[in-house]
Amino acid sequence: VLRPATGEDLRRWRAAKPDTRDDAVRAMLAALVVEGEVRTDEQAAVSDAIAALDPLVDFTVACRCPGCGADNEIAVDLEGLALARLARRQRELVQEVHRFATCYGWTERDVLALPPARRARYLALIDADAGVLS
């Protein structure tokens, strides 16, 4: 009996950097086994079952190389992509707050209380005024 892997499991496994694939598989299974044990000859089947239950953990995209025509299956790190997108948006929000504070003297709380569409309209006005003044 295995429990589902969690995001924390994935982060811990990624950080562990095991020496071999077999070491990684053993550590992963040890963390997930709730009852019983997984024999070595069952590991591939267990891996396939885990991937089938949560396809986003092992997300891939099938594509064809435009140069040579070979079929490829490319792994996509959805967690990494999501975290990168969130980090980028966080940086953008800090820039927006700075622009509002500089132009209007508003606080961060004031700026973030505005709905995103309304903030965008104000930013467009700031940009338009900067273009007129330049």
Side-chain angles (χ1 to χ4, degrees):
V1 177
L2 289 101
R3 66 172 177 78
T6 64
E8 183 57 35
D9 289 324
L10 298 173
R11 283 185 284 281
R12 189 172 43 254
W13 297 334
R14 185 178 292 149
K17 299 186 187 329
D19 292 331
T20 67
R21 183 183 188 289
D22 288 341
D23 290 344
V25 169
R26 275 193 292 278
M28 291 172 166
L29 290 175
L32 299 179
V33 170
V34 174
E35 181 181 314
E37 63 182 60
V38 178
R39 295 188 318 262
T40 304
D41 63 326
E42 297 173 320
Q43 289 178 356
V46 169
S47 176
D48 291 344
I50 290 171
L53 288 173
D54 191 356
L56 295 181
V57 170
D58 190 23
F59 187 77
T60 60
V61 175
C63 57
R64 184 173 301 233
C65 175
C68 69
D71 289 329
N72 292 298
E73 194 163 308
I74 308 297
V76 178
D77 179 5
L78 294 176
E79 179 186 31
L81 289 172
L83 291 174
R85 181 172 285 179
L86 287 170
R88 183 176 60 247
R89 184 61 188 133
Q90 185 179 38
R91 288 189 303 274
E92 291 168 354
L93 281 172
V94 169
Q95 288 293 331
E96 288 179 19
V97 168
H98 173 72
R99 290 175 68 195
F100 281 105
T102 301
C103 292
Y104 300 129
W106 293 357
T107 67
E108 183 176 71
R109 182 182 300 242
D110 295 334
V111 174
L112 297 179
L114 290 172
R118 186 103 175 262
R119 274 199 317 268
R121 290 184 68 193
Y122 277 110
L123 290 170
L125 290 171
I126 292 170
D127 291 341
D129 286 348
V132 170
L133 298 175
S134 304

